[in-house]
Amino acid sequence: MSFAAVILSGGGAFGDPWHPLAETSRCLADIVTAAGGHVEVDENVTDRLDDLDDVDLIVVNAAVGPTRPPSPDGNAGLRAYLARGGGVLAVHVGVCGLAGVDWWSEVTGARWIDGLSGHPPLGPSAVSVVRGSHPIVDGAVDFDVVDERYTGLAWVPSAPMALLEHELDGVRHPLMWVRSLGEARIVSDALGHDAESYESAHHVALIARAARWAAGQPVA
């Protein structure tokens, strides 16, 4: 079955100097389309949050943007979307912030803490699958990817159900995880810094499966 997806994409006020968000949003659009999604890419992030009635999946691939909060309608629209079981796929920088929504960590379960959170330099990384953890990773294998690997995130309110991990200095850190918020299905993928991340066929396949699961579709 097909599903309606909107990619809340970095650009303009929702870009930053470190991430080629328009480029990675195009990669994500191709993946979600191939997974059965009818995809809209929208850089007017706060405006699009006002009305999500026609959406099954939001993909958050944008910097936080202006410090002003979204409109009251935007907060209400997002809360209503989640309450009716709308799906979320938060990607890389989108895991830790959304358009001034100060309760976004309650959705993804993760918060970036200055001085604690970080990442080693962009480069090759070994990614491990947490086997048996979830249908998204059924049959998946460990793989290598060129990317940034987040570390030291604060978990709100508790540790996530990790699907992918990496190891740094003997400590394992989640890279992809799932959680539920009421009826809403949420996947966070801390990978995806730039287009090189999407050159990994294994990563692409897992994003497609994550998008379908979050949208309430059969994973396979």
Side-chain angles (χ1 to χ4, degrees), residues 11 123 159 198 208:
Y198 303 100

Side-chain angles (χ1 to χ4, degrees), residues 166-215:
H166 76 102
E167 184 173 316
L168 182 68
D169 298 331
V171 179
R172 301 190 73 81
H173 301 270
L175 285 173
M176 180 183 281
W177 59 92
V178 296
R179 59 187 269 109
S180 297
L181 191 66
E183 297 298 315
R185 296 182 174 199
I186 299 141
V187 184
S188 295
D189 179 6
L191 295 170
H193 172 81
D194 62 21
E196 205 165 10
S197 179
Y198 303 100
E199 294 176 6
S200 164
H202 295 291
H203 186 205
V204 166
L206 289 171
I207 294 169
R209 293 172 69 90
R212 289 189 60 80
W213 180 82

Side-chain angles (χ1 to χ4, degrees), residues 61-133:
N61 186 49
V64 171
T67 55
R68 66 178 175 84
S71 69
D73 285 347
N75 262 308
L78 179 58
R79 290 190 185 277
Y81 173 77
L82 296 170
R84 69 170 171 83
V88 174
L89 173 58
V91 180
H92 200 57
V93 68
V95 167
C96 297
L98 171 62
V101 177
D102 59 7
W103 45 276
W104 186 241
S105 62
E106 298 174 22
V107 179
T108 67
R111 187 188 301 275
W112 183 279
I113 304 294
D114 290 338
L116 174 65
S117 308
H119 57 75
L122 177 74
S125 173
V127 177
S128 300
V129 175
V130 182
R131 288 174 175 77
S133 57

Side-chain angles (χ1 to χ4, degrees), residues 7-186:
I7 297 176
L8 302 174
S9 177
F14 297 96
D16 67 26
W18 307 285
H19 301 94
L21 293 164
E23 181 181 24
T24 51
S25 288
R26 287 193 294 271
C27 295
L28 288 163
D30 289 344
I31 295 167
V32 176
T33 298
H38 295 290
V39 178
E40 167 197 348
V41 179
D42 200 327
E43 293 183 346
N44 298 312
V45 175
T46 50
D47 291 342
R48 194 62 175 92
L49 287 174
D50 286 346
D51 183 5
L52 297 170
D53 289 347
D54 57 344
V55 179
D56 302 305
L57 174 71
I58 59 171
V59 181
V60 181
N61 186 49
V64 171
T67 55
R68 66 178 175 84
S71 69
D73 285 347
N75 262 308
L78 179 58
R79 290 190 185 277
Y81 173 77
L82 296 170
R84 69 170 171 83
V88 174
L89 173 58
V91 180
H92 200 57
V93 68
V95 167
C96 297
L98 171 62
V101 177
D102 59 7
W103 45 276
W104 186 241
S105 62
E106 298 174 22
V107 179
T108 67
R111 187 188 301 275
W112 183 279
I113 304 294
D114 290 338
L116 174 65
S117 308
H119 57 75
L122 177 74
S125 173
V127 177
S128 300
V129 175
V130 182
R131 288 174 175 77
S133 57
H134 196 275
I136 291 173
V137 292
D138 279 355
V141 297
D142 298 348
F143 61 96
D144 294 328
V145 67
V146 177
D147 214 323
E148 282 182 346
R149 297 165 288 148
Y150 284 175
T151 61
L153 299 177
W155 303 108
V156 183
S158 59
M161 179 186 292
L163 309 185
L164 302 177
E165 296 178 327
H166 76 102
E167 184 173 316
L168 182 68
D169 298 331
V171 179
R172 301 190 73 81
H173 301 270
L175 285 173
M176 180 183 281
W177 59 92
V178 296
R179 59 187 269 109
S180 297
L181 191 66
E183 297 298 315
R185 296 182 174 199
I186 299 141

